[in-house]
């Protein structure tokens, strides 16, 4: 019999991703007896890391969004640091140099904490929209985005009310969709306001060591506060009566009980754990991505003159953000060059990195045989790299190919395997539960399907749900 058999906890947390860890820290700080259960052996969920060929690869991290400097007050990052009792310096954040949106023949650059510069470049490119852009920014900054009862709505409709130019609307939506929309071709209005500020006003940074550094700090805090976790042990089933979760059954058959359960597994996934029938308000998402990772023996900025940290591109005249009817839709995507953060000397990355993200179809990848899957990964790795290079200063094929030190790629099936998200849906269900409540009075959601997305969003989600439902504080 395991030492955990039959044990009772104040709170069980399903998932050691960003939201589960943040919730765990809050609860442990307040003396709660809390256990995090994670099916995988590594923490981090969607934003984790793995070793391959003796090197550590981040699975997710392009950017920590909402990058504000140490000492900034009232920002999402400041709130996270205060609530989790972390020091800004401990993250060793390197700010982006600059990023850009490449669409409709325009290349609009933006960087951290300089919205005025971005606005001026947009106004140059779309002079008739200059006043409308100013009014849009005022409206979005005034929007109560993180209020759990923020009025829902369509981001596209809101933008169309303010801007008269469909091309400009698509251009603005391109980075916002890729960094945080679970809805095909649209985005929740509160999410638009959150993302607008987090990308265009605040910006991007990367911890010196990547996602491992964030995870290490979170785990240190959690354990120092007395939190416990069980890795490599999933929750197989949640036993319920009409009102409550009565017990959690683990993959190894152990049964645990808890006063409350917080689940970061997703809404449909959590319903499934409860054995609940399919529910129209808990439809899983379908938007998923492929991502290529290429390690280079050359320095992207110095040797190839690739300047941007992140480049959002779209090659069509209209942006289509939807699950493709093909393995991959390379017509739009994100190019990330982690070397192009401004690391404090003497630090730099030991290799050149190129990451390319594009929309992909879970169903199409799922239909492949193992051999065809491996071949498709090989083929799409090359195609996505070629697509990305067409948006960057040219490097001859032979020179680029000779510089490749290692490569990898993940698909919607990888996301599904490592996070449990149905369809490999990167941002979960299109319909969010902002208050985190479920049909069962002691079971709450945190993370992706509560609705705050990305690393910063997931951390805030864990904090907010622990505060609201368990600690009953703000
Ligand atoms: C390719 C990629 C790139 C990304 N890039 C960025 C980026 O640059 N910046 C950014 O801010 N965000 C990025 N994201 C998004 C970000 O990673 C997520 O929004 C965030 O990490 C979600 O955290 P979460 O805690 O909500 O959920 P998850 O990370 O999904 O964590 C859920 C955890 O629950 C576990 N779990 C599920 N079911 C069970 C069960 N039954 N029992 C036990 N454990 C279970 C899973 O294994 C997982 O570890 C990226 C994501 C991907 C995939």
């Amino acid at each position: 019999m395991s030492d955990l058999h039959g044990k009772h906890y104040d709170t069980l947390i399903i998932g050691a991703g960003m939201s589960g860890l943040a919730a765990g820290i809050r609860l442990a700080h307040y003396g709660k007896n809390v256990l995090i259960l994670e099916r995988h052996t590594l923490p981090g969920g969607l934003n984790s890391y793995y070793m391959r060929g003796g090197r550590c690869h981040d699975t997710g991290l392009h950017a920590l969004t909402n990058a504000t400097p140490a000492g900034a007050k009232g920002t999402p990052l400041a709130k996270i640091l205060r609530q989790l009792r972390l020091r800004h310096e401990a993250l060793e954040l390197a700010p982006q140099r600059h990023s850009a949106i490449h669409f409709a023949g325009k290349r609009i650059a933006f960087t951290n904490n300089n919205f005025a510069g971005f606005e001026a470049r947009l106004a140059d490119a779309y002079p008739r929209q200059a006043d409308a852009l100013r009014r849009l920014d005022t409206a979005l900054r005034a929007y109560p985005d993180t209020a759990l009862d923020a009025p829902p709505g369509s981001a596209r409709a809101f933008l169309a009310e303010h801007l008269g130019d469909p091309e400009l609307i698509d251009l603005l939506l391109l980075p916002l969709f890729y960094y945080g929309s679970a809805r095909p071709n649209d985005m929740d209005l509160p999410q638009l306001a959150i993302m607008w500020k987090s990308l265009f006003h605040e910006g991007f940074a990367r911890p010196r060591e990547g996602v491992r550094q964030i995870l290490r700090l979170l785990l240190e805090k959690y354990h120092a506060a007395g939190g416990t976790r069980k890795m490599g042990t999933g929750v197989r089933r949640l036993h319920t009566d009409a009102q409550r979760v009565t017990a959690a059954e683990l993959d190894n058959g152990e049964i645990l009980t808890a006063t409350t359960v917080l689940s970061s597994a997703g809404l449909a996934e959590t319903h499934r754990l409860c054995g609940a029938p399919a529910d129209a308000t808990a439809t899983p998402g379908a938007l998923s991505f492929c991502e290529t990772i290429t390690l280079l023996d050359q320095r992207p900025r110095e040797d190839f003159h690739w300047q941007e940290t992140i480049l959002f591109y779209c090659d069509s005249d209209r942006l289509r953000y939807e699950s493709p009817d093909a393995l991959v839709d390379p017509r739009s995507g994100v190019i990330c060059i982690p070397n192009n953060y401004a690391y404090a000397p003497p630090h730099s990355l030991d290799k050149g990195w190129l990451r390319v993200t594009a929309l992909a179809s879970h169903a199409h990848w799922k239909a492949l045989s193992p051999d065809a899957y491996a071949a498709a990964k090989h083929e799409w790795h090359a195609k996505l790299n070629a697509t990305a290079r067409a948006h960057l200063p040219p490097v001859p094929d032979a020179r680029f190919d000779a510089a490749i030190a290692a490569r990898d790629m993940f698909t919607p099936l990888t996301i599904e395997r490592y996070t449990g998200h149905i369809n490999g849906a990167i941002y979960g269900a299109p319909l969010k539960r902002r208050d985190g409540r479920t049909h069962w009075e002691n079971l709450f959601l945190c993370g992706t399907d509560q609705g705050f997305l990305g690393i910063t969003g997931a951390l805030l989600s864990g904090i907010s749900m622990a505060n609201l439902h368990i600690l009953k504080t703000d």
Side-chain angles (χ1 to χ4, degrees):
M1 185 188 293
S2 148
D3 58 334
L4 291 174
H5 188 87
K7 206 165 165 186
H8 183 82
Y9 289 86
D10 292 329
T11 303
L12 290 176
I13 297 177
I14 303 178
M18 296 290 169
S19 65
L21 289 170
I25 293 172
R26 285 297 292 164
L27 298 177
H29 276 158
Y30 280 82
K32 299 286 181 194
N33 179 15
V34 51
L35 175 69
I36 296 180
L37 294 154
E38 168 57 56
R39 180 161 279 140
H40 289 283
T41 49
L42 282 174
L46 278 178
N47 241 298
S48 189
Y49 58 90
Y50 63 98
M51 300 303 291
R52 165 133 337 156
R55 273 176 196 290
C56 183
H57 296 255
D58 285 341
T59 51
L61 187 73
H62 284 190
L64 183 76
T65 58
N66 304 85
T68 41
K73 300 251 185 303
T75 65
L77 182 60
K79 177 174 179 184
I80 289 169
L81 295 172
R82 183 166 44 80
Q83 293 264 327
L84 300 183
R85 304 181 195 169
L86 291 169
R87 286 182 315 112
H88 194 286
E89 296 72 28
L91 287 168
E92 296 182 280
L93 290 180
Q96 65 169 325
R97 291 183 182 280
H98 73 270
S99 293
I101 308 168
H102 198 188
F103 179 49
K106 301 178 175 73
R107 202 173 183 105
I108 311 279
F110 60 99
T111 193
N112 291 3
N113 304 306
N114 183 6
F115 183 77
F118 179 54
E119 194 180 43
R121 278 173 224 114
L122 287 171
D124 275 352
Y126 299 92
R128 290 191 183 163
Q129 299 290 308
D131 292 340
L133 271 165
R134 244 185 318 276
R135 284 193 295 273
L136 171 70
D137 179 54
T138 306
L140 285 173
R141 280 192 297 139
Y143 193 86
D145 49 3
T146 54
L148 297 178
D149 56 357
S154 153
R156 259 198 191 282
F158 187 85
L159 290 174
E161 276 168 29
H162 285 81
L163 303 174
D165 189 324
E167 182 188 289
L168 174 58
I169 293 175
D170 275 1
L171 182 142
L172 293 170
L173 284 173
L174 170 59
L176 303 172
F177 278 173
Y178 269 95
Y179 273 10
S181 180
R183 283 171 64 172
N185 292 314
D186 207 344
M187 168 178 246
D188 284 335
L189 180 52
Q191 182 66 3
L192 168 69
I194 291 178
M195 300 296 293
W196 180 266
K197 286 178 262 188
S198 76
L199 267 64
F200 299 143
H201 278 269
E202 296 171 346
F204 304 142
R206 184 178 186 275
R208 182 165 68 79
E209 291 174 61
V211 78
R212 263 172 312 167
Q213 192 157 358
I214 306 178
L215 291 171
R216 189 172 63 240
L217 292 167
L218 294 175
L219 289 173
E220 279 168 11
K221 278 285 162 196
Y222 180 61
H223 292 302
T228 51
R229 67 189 163 115
K230 209 164 162 51
M231 306 299 288
T233 310
V235 174
R236 178 162 74 192
R237 199 174 149 206
L238 291 172
H239 296 255
T240 58
D241 61 22
Q243 274 96 38
R244 298 178 63 80
V245 172
T246 53
E249 182 180 327
L250 309 190
D251 289 338
N252 62 10
E254 289 173 290
I255 302 281
L256 303 177
T257 59
T259 309
T260 48
V261 177
L262 263 179
S263 172
S264 67
L267 181 55
E269 294 81 352
T270 303
H271 271 215
R272 198 189 257 180
L273 287 176
C274 294
D279 172 343
T281 65
T283 310
L287 286 169
S288 195
F289 295 164
C290 268
E291 182 160 304
T292 65
I293 302 170
T294 309
L295 259 63
L296 300 162
D297 282 327
Q298 302 264 311
R299 295 165 304 168
R301 198 160 59 93
E302 295 84 348
D303 299 330
F304 292 166
H305 308 292
W306 294 351
Q307 302 297 334
E308 278 102 0
T309 307
I310 297 173
L311 185 61
F312 301 91
Y313 74 87
C314 178
D315 290 328
S316 314
D317 51 359
R318 291 308 308 268
L319 171 63
R320 305 209 58 91
Y321 181 74
E322 60 198 14
S323 186
D325 188 15
L327 290 172
V328 180
D329 179 356
R331 290 173 300 176
S332 68
V334 188
I335 301 161
C336 174
I337 302 169
N339 305 71
N340 289 349
Y341 285 96
Y343 299 98
H347 302 297
S348 63
L349 300 184
D350 64 339
K351 291 271 175 203
W353 289 75
L354 173 65
R355 309 180 68 116
V356 189
T357 309
L359 290 157
S361 157
H362 178 271
H364 280 77
W365 284 96
K366 185 96 180 164
L368 298 177
S369 67
D371 284 349
Y373 179 81
K377 272 177 69 167
H378 195 76
E379 177 188 339
W380 276 103
H381 191 288
K383 281 186 178 167
L384 287 175
N385 272 357
T387 304
R389 285 172 53 211
H391 290 270
L392 296 165
V395 175
D397 286 346
R399 183 164 173 219
F400 180 79
D401 291 344
I404 295 178
R407 68 184 102 200
D408 200 5
M409 172 164 174
F410 66 80
T411 74
L413 301 196
T414 325
I415 299 176
E416 182 177 55
R417 186 169 342 121
Y418 287 102
T419 68
H421 287 305
I422 297 169
N423 301 331
I426 179 133
Y427 295 123
L431 219 56
K432 301 300 181 192
R433 291 277 170 101
R434 300 264 295 187
D435 66 5
R437 291 184 195 284
T438 69
H439 177 72
W440 297 273
E441 63 190 30
N442 63 340
L443 171 63
F444 305 100
L445 300 179
C446 64
T448 307
D449 281 354
Q450 180 272 327
F452 297 160
L453 301 173
I455 300 173
T456 312
L459 292 169
L460 274 178
S461 173
I463 292 168
S464 314
M465 293 300 106
N467 287 354
L468 178 70
H469 296 299
I470 300 165
L471 302 175
K472 319 262 186 222
T473 63
D474 283 340

